Amino acid sequence: MSDPQSHRQLVVGNWKMHGSHAVNEALLEALKSAGPLPCNAAVCAPFPYLAQTAERLARSAISWGAQDCSAHEQGAYTGEVSAAMLADFGCRYAIVGHSERRALHAESDQLVADKAQAALARGVTPIVCVGETLAERDAGQTDAVVKRQLSAVIHTLAHCASEMMVAYEPVWAIGTGLTATPEQAQAVHALLRAQLHAATEHAASMKLLYGGSVKPDNAASLFAQPDIDGGLIGGASLKAIDFLAICRAAQR
Ligand code: PGA
């Protein structure tokens, strides 16, 4: 795979369960007409709108992805969407292990790892989310929690581990307006990078994204950290002007 722009930072929008056909039309049109960006950019839309997103972003520089995928190949799993189905129409990324799924759908570290493996097996790049709760941070468990979450995925993916992306999203910073300071985020990213170094010789070029209340006014200082290679953006990705401003804050 020789993507000449793969060295650039990556900014991914996570729309979560927001949008409608009409709202998406306007948002995608605004993103598409933005002109060249200094980073690679993608949006992860809800399943029913992936086809719309794919169609609208065709021939644009912006990629698209899903917010989850099944760990299973196919079968009696009502309501689930397989990586093969996503790959069938060109899906590039799938977020797996978002803290909302870990918390609200009781997804275990191993299930998240299995989802990452299912995605990779179909050529869809998993964006594996890890992050500690406020109680875990206050108890001094941040390092242990993110290491445990990442280690399940590294172990399951084995020699393919370098093909995933990782998003560090402190749970206490998601949708709260509380952002990790650039130093707090960098400290965890450095730890995750070291863990990846122990598992793969490609760790230095892997993408580690930061997520959690990234906004136009704090993006540049986060993206300037040596081990932060871009962002996973929730709320601010729903407004084209904010999402594009965050993209423009990426390091060239
Ligand atoms: P936020 O969400 O930017 O709204 O905090 C980030 C995420 O959950 O991916």
Side-chain angles (χ1 to χ4, degrees), residues 16-252:
K16 309 194 181 186
M17 199 171 73
H18 291 287
S20 67
H21 199 272
V23 166
N24 303 346
E25 278 304 285
L27 178 51
L28 291 167
E29 194 48 48
L31 296 182
K32 217 175 134 166
S33 49
L37 295 170
C39 63
N40 292 339
V43 294
C44 292
F47 288 132
Y49 300 122
L50 288 179
Q52 178 193 18
T53 303
E55 195 185 312
R56 286 291 171 263
L57 294 180
R59 292 172 300 282
S60 88
I62 301 177
S63 319
W64 57 276
Q67 299 173 12
D68 188 27
C69 78
S70 175
H72 303 287
E73 186 69 21
Q74 62 172 357
Y77 301 104
T78 302
E80 294 216 40
V81 174
S82 71
M85 294 171 183
L86 296 174
D88 209 11
F89 56 113
C91 181
R92 175 121 183 224
Y93 302 106
I95 297 171
V96 297
H98 190 280
S99 64
E100 286 150 16
R101 296 210 59 88
R102 290 179 189 262
L104 303 173
H105 301 270
E107 293 196 1
S108 66
D109 294 338
Q110 189 55 51
L111 178 64
V112 172
D114 291 343
K115 288 182 171 197
Q117 189 176 44
L120 267 188
R122 292 295 178 163
V124 176
T125 300
I127 301 175
V128 178
C129 300
V130 300
E132 81 288 2
T133 63
L134 188 55
E136 288 163 342
R137 174 164 283 264
D138 288 347
Q141 294 167 349
T142 300
D143 295 6
V145 169
V146 298
K147 271 182 130 168
R148 188 201 74 223
Q149 291 172 332
L150 185 59
S151 130
V153 191
I154 289 175
H155 185 253
T156 298
L157 297 187
H159 65 278
C160 296
S162 63
E163 291 169 41
M164 69 172 153
M165 295 181 178
V166 179
Y168 168 56
E169 297 205 310
V171 179
W172 48 272
I174 295 177
T176 57
L178 294 173
T179 319
T181 64
E183 295 72 27
Q184 282 173 323
Q186 165 58 25
V188 177
H189 278 239
L191 186 92
L192 296 172
R193 182 91 64 193
Q195 193 178 351
L196 291 166
H197 265 301
T200 163
E201 61 193 19
H202 303 294
S205 59
M206 287 177 67
K207 292 259 182 294
L208 303 189
L209 313 181
Y210 169 79
S213 297
V214 178
K215 305 289 177 211
D217 61 358
N218 60 24
S221 57
L222 288 159
F223 295 166
Q225 299 301 310
D227 287 298
I228 298 184
D229 308 307
L232 183 55
I233 320 300
S237 71
L238 299 171
K239 281 175 79 178
I241 192 165
D242 287 353
F243 185 67
L244 292 170
I246 292 170
C247 289
R248 291 189 182 106
Q251 301 285 301
R252 278 152 210 279

Side-chain angles (χ1 to χ4, degrees), residues 1-7 40 92-93:
M1 283 221 304
S2 58
D3 175 355
Q5 300 198 314
S6 61
H7 64 281
N40 292 339
R92 175 121 183 224
Y93 302 106

